[in-house]
Amino acid sequence: MQATAYTFDPQTRAGSVLLDDGTPVPFDGAAFDAGGLLMLRPGQRVRIEFAAPAEGTPEVPPAERRVTLVTLQTF
């Protein structure tokens, strides 16, 4: 899924992105580290991945799911 970088703290490597509908979604340092980036600036387009929901559980809206990867969007 694509999103736009919104906030980023280089000390903790955590921050948040905005989905295309404007919904903010937080991510932790582990999700940032998984993408292999060194820095993230607000406004950059990124690709994010979410943790798969547990089998047998109902689908959860993206804003309530855990981000597992943040990396640059490539075309």
Side-chain angles (χ1 to χ4, degrees):
M1 173 177 278
Q2 294 182 28
T4 302
Y6 184 52
T7 63
F8 178 68
D9 179 349
Q11 298 297 329
T12 64
R13 299 173 329 281
S16 63
V17 297
L18 293 176
L19 301 181
D20 289 342
D21 67 0
T23 304
V25 179
F27 63 86
D28 59 18
F32 181 78
D33 291 344
L37 301 176
L38 299 177
M39 186 60 153
L40 190 61
R41 289 185 296 276
Q44 283 183 297
R45 287 296 282 177
V46 295
R47 182 174 62 86
I48 59 174
E49 293 180 4
F50 295 102
E55 193 168 323
T57 60
E59 185 68 26
V60 177
E64 298 176 20
R65 294 167 63 189
R66 186 175 64 83
V67 174
T68 59
L69 175 91
V70 178
T71 193
L72 291 181
Q73 176 62 39
T74 57
F75 298 94

